[in-house]
């Protein structure tokens, strides 16, 4: 049986998804191109951006490298004005 997803995990997934999308868009990259850079399938990237799946530390590092940001940058919560 799957365990219940904690509120903290849901908030981290949402932060990751938002930051992936913002970083990708700031750099003018398509989902397809950044997925290729990270070694992920485009559908997996879409799920990460949507916050519907979690990821391993390895995947977090791969996507951070693809976007030239740090893993911690991708997990930062939204500022109150965002």
């Amino acid at each position: 049986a799957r365990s219940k997803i904690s509120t903290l995990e849901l908030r981290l997934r949402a932060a990751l998804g938002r930051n992936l999308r913002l970083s990708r868009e700031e750099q003018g990259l398509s989902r397809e191109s950044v997925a290729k850079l990270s070694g992920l399938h485009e559908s997996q990237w879409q799920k990460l951006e949507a916050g519907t799946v979690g990821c391993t530390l390895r995947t977090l590092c791969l996507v951070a490298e693809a976007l030239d940001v740090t893993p911690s940058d991708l997990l930062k919560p939204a500022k109150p004005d965002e």
Side-chain angles (χ1 to χ4, degrees):
R2 298 184 99 177
S3 61
K4 184 178 174 185
I5 297 173
S6 72
T7 302
L8 175 59
E9 183 177 349
L10 290 174
R11 286 195 313 246
L12 287 170
R13 283 183 183 186
L16 175 62
R18 183 191 61 253
N19 293 327
L20 285 173
R21 181 181 50 78
L22 290 173
S23 293
R24 177 181 59 77
E25 289 175 349
E26 284 173 2
Q27 296 179 46
L29 298 170
S30 68
R31 281 190 190 103
E32 181 182 13
S33 64
V34 78
K36 283 182 184 177
L37 286 171
S38 66
L40 298 179
H41 191 275
E42 186 178 356
S43 65
Q44 180 68 10
W45 187 276
Q46 288 174 320
K47 291 174 186 176
L48 287 172
E49 277 194 13
T52 58
V53 297
C55 70
T56 64
L57 287 173
R58 181 178 184 276
T59 299
L60 180 63
C61 291
L62 289 172
V63 298
E65 285 179 20
L67 292 168
D68 197 28
V69 297
T70 66
S72 62
D73 289 336
L74 295 176
L75 296 175
K76 288 181 182 173
K79 295 175 186 162
D81 59 341
E82 290 183 325

